[in-house]
Amino acid sequence: MNAKHEHLKPDPLAQTHDVFNQARALEDYNAYDSDTALREAVRRHGAGWAEPALSAHGAKTGTAEIIEWGFLANEHKPQFFSHDRQGYRVDYVKYHESYHRLMALGLESGIHSAPWTDPKPGAHVARAAKSYLQAQVEAGHGCPLTMTFAAVPSISLKPSLAKEWLPKILNNAYDPRNVPHYEKEALTIGMGMTEKQGGSDVRANTTRAWAVGAEGPGEPYELVGHKWFTSAPMCDAFLVLAQTENGLSCFLVPRWRPDGSKNPIQVQRLKNKMGNVSNASSEIELRGALGWMVGEEGRGVPAIIEMVAMTRFDCMIGSAAGQRQAVAQAVNHAAGRAAFGKTLLDQPLMRNVLADLQLEVEGSLAIAMRMGEALDQSTLDPKNEHEKLLLRLGLPAGKYWICKRSPFHAYEAMECLGGNGVTEDFIMARLYREAPINAIWEGSGNVQALDMLRALAKTPAVLETWFAELGKTAGSDARLDKAVNALKHEFADMNDAEYRARDIVDRLSLTMQASQLVEAGNASVAEAFIASRLGEHGDRNYGTLPRGLDLETILARANPWESS
């Protein structure tokens, strides 16, 4: 090289570029204090007293450390070991330490227990809000938290079982040791209903149960059969459906027998799932497994139905949480990324998309927290028929709508991040894989729609209750009134009701969301929701909001770095 050009020779270690125009990571923020919609819902539905604890939990779940637990729990999938090194059958599932840390955080925070140990106005709402915060970190570990919480009403049906099991189930502690339940101070509970030939039709179950001695509630039986989906197989016991001579019955089946021997609940394999991978879901064989009857013989479905109702409520909360985290990530990215001369958050079309995504969260949270209040009121006052009937229709309708909207919502939020959104280094890819899970678990869309029809047929008063609730905002908006009247007209003709069930449940959900948002009192949110969901748009993609809406207010509510 010519000497006069020597100074132009590149340094082989030269830096190729500087990192700029990248949004900061969404971490070390308070997920509660920055969520205006959540804070307003907590206060509106009677749980304002819980705000200090919720703020503290939001500060924890927003930390970089706990967010990283979620990534690690999914990166390191559960591992199944059928036998130990000496050849003994162990049916052991090994989880990453981060999964155990998330479980400990949830259980020590009382997500599985608070409304049962301290029932008071707002208890279910406060617990739902805490679960909503926790689910934004990682969805998989929420399954055993939910099942443990939801099992309490079923186990309570038999006082002798409740006396032995509930104190440890309701203990705010976590003990993952693989030892008998009587050696532990804290227990988790799973559920085994689904069989390969029946799916949602649990009455087609073939698992059989034979009495060891005396028959009836609280008595020991041995179960033989299989279950096609049993999540969290390291739970200490499971509520299982099995056939007796008098029909389908419910049993509490522990992993260990009272004499310390292993109960023959044999895991065949773990499911290789597209999402929810931190949560082990298994196929099991029951080979004479010992269990105690819960509830009346032949009344297994009624015995477990409250558990199913609670798990469906948690599906609503979990999917709404996924929506919230997706929007928070999208807005965080848009605020820190510039294109064509200004930040994405200042681009008119991106503002339309983000505000629309936030409106979905607003509606999801509104109907979910109203159902939380109904749980509180019906629990504290069993004679409150309005709240009980509202739940009977609201749980299937809300579960159907929120969970079914989530996959498209997650995809649209992912697109806001561009190429980063589809890489596993960002949470969006995981949120997208998680989004379909709740729509399928605890009864898929058709099951929820048909359950709505079943509620109407069995208890016609549920419809009167629904419209009475909607009537609280009658006259506030002509478009909402028109939608409610059109819905009433649908019920005047129930021909081909099953064929039309999805359309009906769509409209039940949308009108209730709109009504709840009107009642919540933020005119900008309610106006935008009604204009876009109950207006003349018809089928639509996100980002097609009509003109003239107050997007500034909506986007401020979406921004995880803002609080009001």
Side-chain angles (χ1 to χ4, degrees), residues 24 26 29-31 33-35 324-325 327-333 555-563:
R24 58 178 165 171
L26 181 55
Y29 74 110
N30 190 309
D33 290 355
S34 61
D35 191 338
R324 165 58 187 168
Q325 182 60 206
V327 171
Q329 292 287 339
V331 172
N332 176 70
H333 175 80
L555 290 172
R557 295 167 70 86
N559 196 325
W561 297 108
E562 291 192 23
S563 59

Side-chain angles (χ1 to χ4, degrees), residues 61-302:
T61 59
T63 61
E65 178 187 16
I66 291 179
I67 291 170
E68 180 66 7
W69 294 352
F71 278 91
L72 291 172
N74 281 268
E75 181 180 347
H76 301 279
K77 295 182 180 182
Q79 295 177 291
F80 169 56
F81 300 89
S82 59
H83 295 77
D84 67 10
R85 67 188 66 171
Q86 277 90 18
Y88 292 101
R89 182 93 198 194
V90 291
D91 294 291
Y92 180 70
V93 178
K94 184 178 181 180
Y95 298 89
H96 189 266
E97 182 59 32
S98 291
Y99 173 91
H100 291 303
R101 289 170 178 163
L102 289 166
M103 284 291 293
L105 177 64
L107 290 162
E108 290 167 5
S109 300
I111 289 175
H112 67 301
S113 65
W116 311 130
T117 57
D118 188 16
K120 60 183 176 181
H124 278 284
V125 172
R127 180 256 170 195
K130 192 171 285 187
S131 181
Y132 181 84
L133 295 169
Q134 181 113 358
Q136 291 181 56
V137 175
E138 201 283 315
H141 77 286
C143 181
L145 293 180
T146 284
M147 292 190 296
T148 302
F149 164 71
V152 171
S154 297
I155 295 174
S156 298
L157 291 173
K158 185 58 185 174
S160 60
L161 292 175
K163 182 179 179 181
E164 178 182 359
W165 286 83
L166 287 189
K168 294 183 178 183
I169 291 171
L170 296 173
N171 188 11
N172 291 351
Y174 179 50
D175 185 349
R177 291 180 301 151
N178 187 25
V179 297
H181 66 274
Y182 50 80
E183 295 182 17
K184 302 172 76 167
E185 294 302 318
L187 304 175
T188 55
I189 304 295
M191 178 169 58
M193 294 198 300
T194 307
E195 297 185 4
K196 60 175 73 75
Q197 77 286 344
S200 296
D201 183 8
V202 296
R203 295 191 185 279
N205 282 7
T206 60
T207 297
R208 299 285 301 178
W210 289 271
V212 174
E215 300 179 354
E219 297 298 335
Y221 285 69
E222 289 189 339
L223 283 66
V224 175
H226 75 281
K227 297 296 171 182
W228 188 235
F229 265 98
T230 299
S231 287
M234 292 307 289
C235 285
D236 296 288
F238 306 88
L239 285 174
V240 175
L241 293 178
Q243 303 280 0
T244 67
E245 293 299 321
N246 293 306
L248 195 64
S249 305
C250 182
F251 299 88
L252 179 66
V253 182
R255 283 201 302 113
W256 297 83
R257 287 175 174 257
D259 62 4
S261 63
K262 183 185 175 301
N263 211 9
I265 305 170
Q266 297 187 354
V267 176
Q268 302 306 296
R269 60 176 175 174
L270 299 186
K271 300 289 192 180
N272 187 16
K273 297 174 293 182
M274 61 165 278
N276 211 247
V277 298
S278 72
N279 171 39
S281 296
S282 64
E283 299 168 22
I284 65 170
E285 295 282 351
L286 303 160
R287 301 181 181 273
L290 177 69
W292 296 275
M293 184 178 287
V294 175
E296 298 297 321
E297 186 174 4
R299 300 279 295 166
V301 173

Side-chain angles (χ1 to χ4, degrees), residues 385-386 388-390 392-393 455-468:
E385 287 299 314
H386 178 88
K388 288 167 65 176
L389 293 174
L390 189 65
R392 183 63 190 92
L393 210 54
L456 293 176
K458 187 175 181 179
T459 315
V462 296
L463 194 58
E464 180 182 338
T465 298
W466 194 262
F467 285 117

Side-chain angles (χ1 to χ4, degrees), residues 9-10 17 27 36 117 157 182 188 232 258 304 316 327 348 375 399 405 434 457 460 463 529:
K9 184 178 179 181
H17 68 284
E27 58 189 26
T36 303
T117 57
L157 291 173
Y182 50 80
T188 55
I304 209 167
M316 295 170 65
V327 171
L375 281 172
K399 195 270 187 187
R405 294 286 290 176
E434 294 287 355
L463 194 58
F529 188 92

Side-chain angles (χ1 to χ4, degrees), residues 356-469:
D356 208 353
L357 292 171
Q358 174 61 19
L359 288 173
E360 197 70 43
V361 179
E362 299 274 359
S364 296
L365 196 59
I367 192 172
M369 287 307 208
R370 178 62 186 92
M371 293 307 114
E373 181 184 348
L375 281 172
D376 277 320
Q377 295 195 28
S378 59
T379 300
L380 294 171
D381 180 10
K383 296 182 180 179
N384 191 328
E385 287 299 314
H386 178 88
E387 300 300 315
K388 288 167 65 176
L389 293 174
L390 189 65
L391 278 171
R392 183 63 190 92
L393 210 54
L395 290 179
K399 195 270 187 187
Y400 171 94
W401 181 259
I402 297 172
C403 298
K404 192 154 291 294
R405 294 286 290 176
S406 289
F408 185 27
H409 186 275
Y411 157 70
E412 195 68 61
M414 177 191 291
E415 187 175 300
C416 294
L417 274 69
N420 284 348
V422 300
T423 68
E424 296 295 345
D425 293 328
F426 290 78
I427 197 174
M428 289 305 309
R430 173 156 40 103
L431 293 177
Y432 183 64
R433 291 196 309 274
E434 294 287 355
I437 303 298
N438 284 333
I440 295 171
W441 282 6
E442 309 309 329
S444 60
N446 284 356
V447 171
Q448 301 306 314
L450 294 174
D451 192 38
M452 176 269 299
L453 293 180
R454 191 177 302 109
L456 293 176
K458 187 175 181 179
T459 315
V462 296
L463 194 58
E464 180 182 338
T465 298
W466 194 262
F467 285 117
E469 187 72 18

